[in-house]
Amino acid sequence: MVEPDRGQEPAVDAVGVILDAVRLDRASPVPLYYQLAQGLERTVVGGLLPPGTRIDNEILLAERLGVSRPTVRQAMQYLVEQGLVVRRRGIGTKVVQPKVRRPLGLTSLFDDLRSDGQEPATSVLSLGVVGAEASVATALGLEEGAEVVELVRLRSAGNRPIAKMTNYLPVGRVEISREAIEKGGLYELIRSAGIVLHAATQTIGARTATTAEARLLDESRGAALLTMQRTAYDDHGVVVEHGNHVYAASRYSFQAQLLSP
Amino acid sequence: MVEPDRGQEPAVDAVGVILDAVRLDRASPVPLYYQLAQGLERTVVGGLLPPGTRIDNEILLAERLGVSRPTVRQAMQYLVEQGLVVRRRGIGTKVVQPKVRRPLGLTSLFDDLRSDGQEPATSVLSLGVVGAEASVATALGLEEGAEVVELVRLRSAGNRPIAKMTNYLPVGRVEISREAIEKGGLYELIRSAGIVLHAATQTIGARTATTAEARLLDESRGAALLTMQRTAYDDHGVVVEHGNHVYAASRYSFQAQLLSP
DNA sequence: CAGTGGTCTAGACCACACC
DNA sequence: GTGTGGTCTAGACCACTGT
């Protein structure tokens, strides 16, 4: 043990490490602040700047990197939003303990599972045009009974069913085929239709399984199910999709990483 | 000057409305950009700038408001993060359809209920020091069997129980009394101890109620419960609190508003 | 006191979307 | 083209923290 390092920050030459790790290319179309932010992020998650490390002040950093102070600030702001550093006026900037960073964002279960390395399988139980029920019509902003695309899927991983997913979409906005949906997931299809997802509201609840649900999801009668209703909007505020999903609670849970406002 | 009004956006004199609604006080300690952001937010959620309204460009706004363009940008950035407006290069800024905005943030159930206008009640079922079980010890980063404060509460609203909340805290960090906890909630107590909450990880799942839980929560046997485990960290990355909560699913659900990354 | 991040200014040039 | 937001600069002063 060479370093006593008791309660104080580890002796790391932050600015040196950063200058080594970050290469700014002014010819690149990527903004300078973003190059810097990404470089800093790599440096932090790569462990070159351990938790607790004090990062030198903006003015010094700006000088050494050859950019202006607002540019450094913009990059730092990004790191704060990612929860990688904490800044306090009069004190300085410090690398914080990194935590799991699963954002519970605008991704699908498919994406979640795939990034977990589990190869998910999907089977389409039904796909067609139906008249909208009241709740669906409300969510999509249509009249009750209006035509909507209904898509029902069973999602499995490791040969066991995980979720029954029911989605409703306005007719004609997204072209859905069974093949495409089994291959890439609904959200991939939506994005490839040129729709930019912007926001979603979702509600997570629980209830007990009906007999049919229990059989479908390979659970016992009366088992607890997680339910999730999600309505997704594009960047014009128009509803893109409404989903009503049930998950086998014994094999699935939602995780979220929260940051202070 | 007559508005072209190309059929889409409602004919609203955005800059006029904004100038009427936003009063900037340069003597105030509140930053200008924040005064502006709040003013814009009020204007949007108050309906004075209906969804679809085109907001005038930054330069004009800056001129009329008597501030610099970066200040306007900073305020706009805030509105984008709140999901209230969409901006596109070459196009402009547009108010989007406002959605429910319950952030599922670092708040407590107590805060959630209170901001809903329901006056919540809390009764402390037990409060004391216990030896940490394995899962609790892991979450708090302690040895198994180490002393931790255990707090068990029953939360009700409208005379019906909603949740049983079990929290574990390291000994000595926060002074907890039954009176304080029944009055203001745990997170209020933590904040008033000078601890700055920074991040949390939480897992939401479901299971069926045990007999005792069903009785406590006024549910039938085998009813579905929502479960939530949360571990909260301060801005030094140190664990502040670990909680293990169960909610009567028939009377509670989690809502979240998501924005695209 | 000195040092830090927070805010603000008054410009500039660029990339992009629409006409 | 024209107009928009996106980026960037080189300063300035202030508020806060710790000495």
Side-chain angles (χ1 to χ4, degrees):
Chain A
M1 294 266 211
V2 184
E3 298 179 0
D5 184 1
R6 188 184 65 264
Q8 298 294 346
E9 65 245 24
V12 174
D13 173 21
V15 72
V17 171
I18 291 169
L19 287 174
D20 282 348
V22 176
R23 299 185 315 130
L24 297 181
D25 175 11
R26 299 190 95 96
S28 161
V30 178
L32 276 179
Y33 81 88
Y34 196 71
Q35 294 182 40
L36 176 52
Q38 294 279 296
L40 287 168
E41 187 175 18
R42 278 198 311 271
T43 314
V44 170
V45 303
L48 291 176
L49 291 175
T53 306
R54 168 77 179 285
I55 295 184
D56 304 81
N57 70 66
E58 303 177 334
I59 297 170
L60 177 63
L61 226 44
E63 250 173 35
R64 298 293 183 86
L65 290 163
V67 299
S68 72
R69 187 185 163 203
T71 302
V72 172
R73 278 189 69 74
Q74 206 171 351
M76 285 297 182
Q77 186 56 34
Y78 173 86
L79 294 188
V80 170
E81 279 162 17
Q82 302 293 107
L84 291 176
V85 303
V86 178
R87 322 193 74 190
R88 287 210 276 199
R89 186 192 321 220
I91 307 284
T93 303
K94 214 180 58 173
V95 179
V96 303
Q97 196 70 32
K99 298 295 163 196
V100 187
R101 298 194 294 141
R102 171 109 53 117
L104 188 63
L106 274 176
T107 58
S108 62
L109 175 58
F110 191 89
D111 299 333
D112 290 349
L113 292 171
R114 192 162 51 183
S115 62
D116 269 9
Q118 307 184 39
E119 208 46 44
T122 307
S123 67
V124 174
L125 301 181
S126 77
L127 171 60
V129 174
V130 302
E133 291 173 19
S135 65
V136 173
T138 303
L140 293 181
L142 302 172
E143 300 291 317
E144 193 171 340
E147 291 199 330
V148 294
V149 175
E150 182 191 63
L151 167 66
V152 185
R153 292 170 293 166
L154 181 66
R155 175 78 28 106
S156 310
N159 277 331
R160 294 203 63 186
I162 287 186
K164 178 191 175 203
M165 314 171 69
T166 308
N167 294 89
Y168 297 92
L169 297 88
V171 174
R173 188 103 191 264
V174 181
E175 207 56 49
I176 298 181
S177 73
R178 297 177 88 101
E179 299 72 36
I181 212 77
E182 294 191 348
K183 193 132 149 229
L186 178 59
Y187 274 44
E188 209 165 291
L189 210 57
I190 288 174
R191 287 191 206 100
S192 66
I195 295 174
V196 179
L197 261 10
H198 171 250
T201 60
Q202 58 183 39
T203 303
I204 295 172
R207 59 176 172 80
T208 50
T210 65
T211 309
E213 286 170 336
R215 191 163 44 231
L216 184 65
L217 293 174
D218 196 11
E219 290 272 318
S220 53
R221 270 200 328 163
L225 300 181
L226 267 173
T227 65
M228 192 257 275
Q229 288 92 257
R230 172 191 280 177
T231 306
Y233 304 84
D234 69 9
D235 53 1
H236 297 79
V238 176
V239 178
V240 176
E241 174 261 335
H242 177 69
N244 205 324
H245 308 148
V246 296
Y247 304 81
S250 63
R251 292 191 292 282
Y252 194 76
S253 59
F254 293 99
Q255 296 193 31
Q257 164 77 359
L258 307 175
L259 291 175
S260 289
Chain B
M1 148 121 95
V2 178
E3 288 286 321
D5 190 351
R6 286 181 277 281
Q8 284 291 17
E9 63 245 27
V12 174
D13 173 22
V15 72
V17 171
I18 292 168
L19 287 174
D20 282 349
V22 176
R23 299 184 315 129
L24 297 182
D25 175 9
R26 299 191 95 96
S28 161
V30 178
L32 277 179
Y33 82 89
Y34 196 71
Q35 294 182 40
L36 176 51
Q38 295 278 295
L40 288 169
E41 186 175 17
R42 278 197 313 272
T43 314
V44 170
V45 303
L48 291 176
L49 290 175
T53 306
R54 166 79 179 285
I55 296 184
D56 304 80
N57 70 67
E58 303 177 334
I59 297 172
L60 177 64
L61 269 180
E63 252 173 33
R64 299 292 184 85
L65 290 163
V67 299
S68 71
R69 188 184 162 204
T71 302
V72 174
R73 278 190 69 74
Q74 205 171 350
M76 285 296 183
Q77 185 56 33
Y78 173 87
L79 294 188
V80 170
E81 279 161 18
Q82 301 294 107
L84 291 176
V85 304
V86 178
R87 322 194 75 194
R88 287 210 276 197
R89 186 193 318 222
I91 305 285
T93 303
K94 213 181 57 172
V95 178
V96 303
Q97 197 71 32
K99 299 299 160 196
V100 187
R101 298 194 297 139
R102 173 106 55 115
L104 189 60
L106 273 176
T107 58
S108 64
L109 175 57
F110 191 89
D111 299 333
D112 290 349
L113 292 171
R114 191 163 50 184
S115 61
D116 269 9
Q118 307 183 37
E119 209 46 45
T122 308
S123 68
V124 174
L125 300 181
S126 76
L127 171 60
V129 174
V130 302
E133 290 174 18
S135 64
V136 174
T138 303
L140 294 181
L142 301 172
E143 300 290 318
E144 193 171 340
E147 290 198 331
V148 294
V149 176
E150 183 192 62
L151 168 66
V152 184
R153 292 170 293 166
L154 181 67
R155 175 79 27 106
S156 310
N159 276 331
R160 294 202 63 186
I162 287 188
K164 180 191 175 204
M165 314 171 68
T166 309
N167 294 89
Y168 298 92
L169 296 88
V171 175
R173 187 103 191 265
V174 181
E175 207 57 48
I176 298 182
S177 74
R178 297 177 88 102
E179 298 71 38
I181 212 75
E182 294 191 347
K183 193 130 148 233
L186 178 58
Y187 274 44
E188 209 164 291
L189 210 56
I190 288 175
R191 287 190 206 99
S192 66
I195 296 175
V196 179
L197 259 12
H198 171 250
T201 60
Q202 58 183 38
T203 303
I204 296 171
R207 60 176 172 79
T208 50
T210 66
T211 309
E213 286 170 337
R215 192 163 42 231
L216 184 65
L217 293 174
D218 195 12
E219 291 272 320
S220 54
R221 270 199 328 163
L225 300 180
L226 266 174
T227 66
M228 193 257 274
Q229 288 91 251
R230 172 191 280 178
T231 305
Y233 304 84
D234 70 8
D235 55 0
H236 297 80
V238 177
V239 178
V240 176
E241 175 261 336
H242 177 70
N244 205 324
H245 309 148
V246 296
Y247 304 82
S250 63
R251 293 190 291 282
Y252 193 75
S253 58
F254 293 99
Q255 296 192 32
Q257 165 78 356
L258 306 176
L259 290 175
S260 289

